[in-house]
Short mmCIF file of all heavy atoms in Angstrom, two decimals:
data_model
loop_
_atom_site.label_atom_id
_atom_site.label_comp_id
_atom_site.label_asym_id
_atom_site.label_seq_id
_atom_site.Cartn_x
_atom_site.Cartn_y
_atom_site.Cartn_z
N PRO A 5 6.62 5.02 0.01
CA PRO A 5 5.62 3.99 0.32
C PRO A 5 4.50 4.46 1.23
O PRO A 5 3.40 3.90 1.19
CB PRO A 5 6.45 2.89 0.99
CG PRO A 5 7.83 3.08 0.47
CD PRO A 5 7.99 4.57 0.31
N THR A 6 4.76 5.48 2.05
CA THR A 6 3.72 5.92 2.99
C THR A 6 2.55 6.59 2.29
O THR A 6 1.52 6.86 2.93
CB THR A 6 4.30 6.89 4.05
OG1 THR A 6 4.81 8.05 3.39
CG2 THR A 6 5.41 6.22 4.84
N THR A 7 2.68 6.86 0.99
CA THR A 7 1.56 7.47 0.27
C THR A 7 0.34 6.56 0.23
O THR A 7 -0.80 7.04 0.22
CB THR A 7 1.96 7.83 -1.16
OG1 THR A 7 2.54 6.68 -1.80
CG2 THR A 7 2.96 8.98 -1.20
N TYR A 8 0.57 5.24 0.19
CA TYR A 8 -0.55 4.30 0.14
C TYR A 8 -0.41 3.13 1.11
O TYR A 8 -1.12 2.15 0.99
CB TYR A 8 -0.74 3.76 -1.29
CG TYR A 8 -1.38 4.76 -2.21
CD1 TYR A 8 -0.60 5.58 -3.03
CD2 TYR A 8 -2.77 4.91 -2.28
CE1 TYR A 8 -1.18 6.51 -3.87
CE2 TYR A 8 -3.36 5.83 -3.12
CZ TYR A 8 -2.57 6.63 -3.92
OH TYR A 8 -3.15 7.55 -4.75
N GLU A 9 0.52 3.24 2.07
CA GLU A 9 0.68 2.18 3.07
C GLU A 9 0.62 2.78 4.46
O GLU A 9 1.36 3.72 4.77
CB GLU A 9 2.01 1.44 2.87
CG GLU A 9 2.04 0.59 1.60
CD GLU A 9 3.38 -0.08 1.37
OE1 GLU A 9 4.35 0.22 2.10
OE2 GLU A 9 3.46 -0.91 0.44
N HIS A 10 -0.24 2.21 5.30
CA HIS A 10 -0.42 2.78 6.64
C HIS A 10 0.67 2.33 7.61
O HIS A 10 0.88 2.96 8.63
CB HIS A 10 -1.81 2.44 7.20
CG HIS A 10 -2.05 0.98 7.44
ND1 HIS A 10 -2.18 0.45 8.70
CD2 HIS A 10 -2.19 -0.06 6.59
CE1 HIS A 10 -2.39 -0.84 8.63
NE2 HIS A 10 -2.40 -1.19 7.34
N ILE A 11 1.36 1.19 7.28
CA ILE A 11 2.53 0.76 8.05
C ILE A 11 3.51 0.12 7.07
O ILE A 11 3.10 -0.32 5.99
CB ILE A 11 2.18 -0.27 9.15
CG1 ILE A 11 1.65 -1.56 8.52
CG2 ILE A 11 1.21 0.29 10.18
CD1 ILE A 11 1.62 -2.75 9.45
N PRO A 12 4.79 0.03 7.41
CA PRO A 12 5.71 -0.75 6.58
C PRO A 12 5.32 -2.22 6.65
O PRO A 12 5.17 -2.78 7.74
CB PRO A 12 7.09 -0.51 7.23
CG PRO A 12 6.92 0.73 8.06
CD PRO A 12 5.50 0.72 8.52
N PRO A 13 5.13 -2.90 5.52
CA PRO A 13 4.64 -4.28 5.54
C PRO A 13 5.53 -5.24 6.31
O PRO A 13 5.05 -6.18 6.95
CB PRO A 13 4.55 -4.66 4.05
CG PRO A 13 5.33 -3.63 3.32
CD PRO A 13 5.28 -2.40 4.14
N GLU A 14 6.86 -5.00 6.29
CA GLU A 14 7.77 -5.92 6.97
C GLU A 14 7.59 -5.88 8.49
O GLU A 14 8.05 -6.79 9.20
CB GLU A 14 9.22 -5.61 6.60
CG GLU A 14 9.69 -4.22 6.96
CD GLU A 14 9.40 -3.18 5.88
OE1 GLU A 14 8.61 -3.49 4.94
OE2 GLU A 14 9.95 -2.06 5.98
N THR A 15 6.93 -4.86 9.02
CA THR A 15 6.69 -4.76 10.46
C THR A 15 5.93 -5.98 10.99
O THR A 15 6.14 -6.43 12.12
CB THR A 15 5.90 -3.48 10.79
OG1 THR A 15 6.56 -2.36 10.22
CG2 THR A 15 5.78 -3.28 12.30
N VAL A 16 5.01 -6.50 10.16
CA VAL A 16 4.23 -7.68 10.55
C VAL A 16 4.66 -8.92 9.77
O VAL A 16 3.97 -9.95 9.79
CB VAL A 16 2.72 -7.43 10.37
CG1 VAL A 16 2.22 -6.38 11.34
CG2 VAL A 16 2.41 -7.02 8.92
N GLY A 17 5.78 -8.83 9.06
CA GLY A 17 6.27 -9.97 8.29
C GLY A 17 5.65 -10.11 6.93
O GLY A 17 5.74 -11.17 6.30
N ASN A 18 5.02 -9.05 6.43
CA ASN A 18 4.39 -9.09 5.11
C ASN A 18 5.31 -8.44 4.08
O ASN A 18 6.42 -8.02 4.41
CB ASN A 18 3.02 -8.39 5.15
CG ASN A 18 2.01 -9.03 4.20
OD1 ASN A 18 2.38 -9.62 3.18
ND2 ASN A 18 0.75 -8.92 4.52
N ALA A 19 4.86 -8.34 2.85
CA ALA A 19 5.69 -7.78 1.79
C ALA A 19 4.83 -6.97 0.83
O ALA A 19 3.65 -7.26 0.63
CB ALA A 19 6.40 -8.89 1.02
N ARG A 20 5.43 -5.97 0.26
CA ARG A 20 4.77 -5.12 -0.73
C ARG A 20 4.67 -5.86 -2.06
O ARG A 20 5.61 -6.53 -2.48
CB ARG A 20 5.54 -3.83 -0.91
CG ARG A 20 4.96 -2.84 -1.91
CD ARG A 20 5.78 -1.57 -1.95
NE ARG A 20 5.88 -0.98 -0.62
CZ ARG A 20 7.02 -0.85 0.05
NH1 ARG A 20 8.15 -1.24 -0.48
NH2 ARG A 20 7.02 -0.32 1.26
N ILE A 21 3.53 -5.74 -2.73
CA ILE A 21 3.34 -6.34 -4.05
C ILE A 21 2.79 -5.26 -4.99
O ILE A 21 1.85 -4.55 -4.65
CB ILE A 21 2.34 -7.52 -4.01
CG1 ILE A 21 2.91 -8.66 -3.15
CG2 ILE A 21 2.04 -8.03 -5.40
CD1 ILE A 21 1.94 -9.82 -2.99
N VAL A 22 3.41 -5.15 -6.16
CA VAL A 22 2.88 -4.28 -7.21
C VAL A 22 2.45 -5.21 -8.34
O VAL A 22 3.27 -5.62 -9.16
CB VAL A 22 3.92 -3.27 -7.70
CG1 VAL A 22 3.32 -2.37 -8.77
CG2 VAL A 22 4.42 -2.42 -6.53
N PRO A 23 1.18 -5.61 -8.38
CA PRO A 23 0.74 -6.58 -9.37
C PRO A 23 0.83 -6.03 -10.80
O PRO A 23 0.78 -4.82 -11.01
CB PRO A 23 -0.72 -6.85 -8.99
CG PRO A 23 -0.89 -6.31 -7.62
CD PRO A 23 0.08 -5.18 -7.52
N MET A 24 0.95 -6.94 -11.74
CA MET A 24 0.87 -6.56 -13.14
C MET A 24 -0.49 -6.96 -13.67
O MET A 24 -0.98 -8.05 -13.41
CB MET A 24 1.96 -7.27 -13.95
CG MET A 24 3.35 -6.77 -13.65
SD MET A 24 3.52 -4.98 -13.81
CE MET A 24 2.99 -4.73 -15.49
N SER A 25 -1.12 -6.06 -14.42
CA SER A 25 -2.43 -6.33 -15.00
C SER A 25 -2.63 -5.40 -16.17
O SER A 25 -1.79 -4.56 -16.48
CB SER A 25 -3.54 -6.08 -13.96
OG SER A 25 -3.68 -4.69 -13.74
N ASN A 26 -3.77 -5.55 -16.83
CA ASN A 26 -4.03 -4.69 -17.98
C ASN A 26 -4.34 -3.26 -17.58
O ASN A 26 -4.56 -2.41 -18.44
CB ASN A 26 -5.15 -5.27 -18.86
CG ASN A 26 -6.45 -5.44 -18.08
OD1 ASN A 26 -6.60 -4.89 -16.99
ND2 ASN A 26 -7.36 -6.22 -18.63
N GLN A 27 -4.35 -2.96 -16.28
CA GLN A 27 -4.47 -1.58 -15.81
C GLN A 27 -3.09 -0.97 -15.53
O GLN A 27 -2.98 0.19 -15.18
CB GLN A 27 -5.29 -1.53 -14.52
CG GLN A 27 -6.73 -1.99 -14.68
CD GLN A 27 -7.51 -1.80 -13.39
OE1 GLN A 27 -7.36 -0.80 -12.69
NE2 GLN A 27 -8.36 -2.76 -13.09
N ALA A 28 -2.05 -1.79 -15.66
CA ALA A 28 -0.73 -1.37 -15.20
C ALA A 28 -0.09 -0.37 -16.13
O ALA A 28 -0.33 -0.34 -17.33
CB ALA A 28 0.16 -2.59 -15.07
N GLY A 29 0.77 0.45 -15.58
CA GLY A 29 1.58 1.38 -16.35
C GLY A 29 3.04 1.11 -16.07
O GLY A 29 3.40 0.13 -15.40
N GLN A 30 3.90 1.98 -16.57
CA GLN A 30 5.33 1.76 -16.42
C GLN A 30 5.79 1.90 -14.98
O GLN A 30 6.80 1.31 -14.59
CB GLN A 30 6.11 2.70 -17.34
CG GLN A 30 5.95 2.35 -18.81
CD GLN A 30 7.01 3.00 -19.69
OE1 GLN A 30 7.85 3.76 -19.22
NE2 GLN A 30 6.94 2.72 -20.98
N SER A 31 5.07 2.65 -14.15
CA SER A 31 5.45 2.77 -12.74
C SER A 31 5.32 1.43 -12.04
O SER A 31 6.21 1.00 -11.30
CB SER A 31 4.58 3.81 -12.03
OG SER A 31 4.80 5.10 -12.56
N ASN A 32 4.18 0.73 -12.28
CA ASN A 32 4.02 -0.60 -11.72
C ASN A 32 5.12 -1.53 -12.20
O ASN A 32 5.71 -2.28 -11.42
CB ASN A 32 2.67 -1.22 -12.14
CG ASN A 32 1.49 -0.47 -11.62
OD1 ASN A 32 1.36 0.72 -11.83
ND2 ASN A 32 0.60 -1.19 -10.96
N LEU A 33 5.38 -1.46 -13.51
CA LEU A 33 6.35 -2.35 -14.11
C LEU A 33 7.75 -2.13 -13.55
O LEU A 33 8.45 -3.07 -13.17
CB LEU A 33 6.35 -2.17 -15.63
CG LEU A 33 7.29 -3.06 -16.43
CD1 LEU A 33 7.00 -4.52 -16.15
CD2 LEU A 33 7.16 -2.75 -17.91
#
C-alpha cells in the first residue's frame, strides 16, 4: 500500500477504496 499511500488510511479513521470503472483491470477487481 505504501506505493501510492502516504499514510495508512486507518490512522485517521479512513479506508482504502479501489473503485471499479471502465479504466479498471483485474488488479482493481
